[in-house]
Amino acid sequence: MLISEIFHSLQGEGELAGMPSVFVRTAGCNLRCTWCDTPYASWSPEGKQMTVAEIVAEVSRHPAHHVVLTGGEPMLAPELPALAAALRAAGKHITIETAATVAPAGIACDLASLSPKLSSSTPPAAQFGAAWSERHESTRWQPAVVAAWLTAYDSQLKFVVACEADVAEIESLLGQLPTPPPRHKVLLMPEGTTRETLAARTPWLTALCRDRGYRFAPRLHIEWFGNRRGT
Ligand code: SF4
C-alpha cells in the first residue's frame, strides 16, 4: 500500500493525547477538505509502496505500544485490515483516525477516532473543480457509517470547529445518529495550523465546551512542534 510516512512521536489530539505512538500515514483520500493540512496524503498523494510485513517491521523498530493508522483516509487502503490484524498479533494498541465515510467491516481497532467533516470543509469549485465540490459534499457525512463505528468500537467523535455556526451544525448532525454519544465523548478541536490561530479560537471554544458539556480537544502537536511533517 502507498505509505506517505511512518514516524514516532506523541499523539497530539484526543483521549490519548501525550501517548508515545508510531504513526502510519497512508496516502490517498476520498475527500478534499478546503483546509486540509496533509495535502501530501490527500490531494497530491506521495510516498512509497510497502507491504504489510515491511510496515510492521518499521513500526516495530520503535518502542511505542500505541500505533495510529491515519491518512489521508486509511480506510481506503485495501490492505488496511491485514495491516491492523498484523499489528494486533504483534500486541499493539491500534487507533484508526478516519473521517468515517467507509464502514469498519470488522477491522481490528482499539480506538476509533472519528472525524466527520462539516459543510465548512467543502472546497469552492475554484479550488479543485465543481465535481470535487459535489463529491466531497455528498460523501463527507454518512450517519449510518458513523453509527456502525460507534456501535462496534471504543470511539471518540472529533469535530474541527472554526466558528460558532459549526457547533450548531455539529448538534444537528449528532441528532441524525440513532444513538448519539454522550457529549463528553464528543471532542471539539479549534481549526488552525498555527499556534496563533489556535490561541485565538481557544477561549470561546473552551467556554462553549464547558457550558454545553463537550470535551475541548487541543491540537497539542502544533503547540509542541508546529505544523511539520513527521510530528
Ligand atoms: S479527510 Fe483529512 S486527509 Fe482527507 S482532505 Fe480532509 S483533512 Fe485532508
Side-chain angles (χ1 to χ4, degrees), residues 90-197:
K92 300 297 185 182
H93 177 286
I94 302 163
T95 298
I96 298 181
E97 296 187 336
T98 174
T101 61
V102 179
I107 192 169
C109 174
D110 299 296
L111 176 65
S113 185
L114 313 174
S115 187
K117 301 302 183 275
L118 302 179
S119 57
S120 57
S121 70
T122 301
Q127 193 172 4
F128 302 111
W132 260 116
S133 298
E134 291 167 17
R135 180 176 165 188
H136 178 101
E137 184 57 26
S138 62
T139 304
R140 66 176 174 80
W141 172 244
Q142 299 186 48
V145 175
V146 175
W149 281 98
L150 290 172
T151 302
Y153 300 94
D154 185 21
S155 302
Q156 60 185 11
L157 198 48
K158 288 191 304 185
F159 291 96
V160 175
V161 176
C163 60
E164 293 211 35
D166 287 343
V167 181
E169 183 177 343
I170 290 165
E171 296 188 338
S172 167
L173 298 183
L174 292 174
Q176 296 171 32
L177 294 172
T179 309
R183 286 189 169 186
H184 69 269
K185 294 289 282 183
V186 178
L187 282 63
L188 304 189
M189 278 187 317
E191 193 275 324
T193 54
T194 66
R195 295 181 180 95
E196 295 72 24
T197 306

Side-chain angles (χ1 to χ4, degrees), residues 29 31-33 35-38 41-43 71-73 99 117 136:
C29 190
L31 297 178
R32 290 292 182 274
C33 301
W35 38 255
C36 179
D37 58 1
T38 54
S42 53
W43 316 334
E73 175 48 73
K117 301 302 183 275
H136 178 101

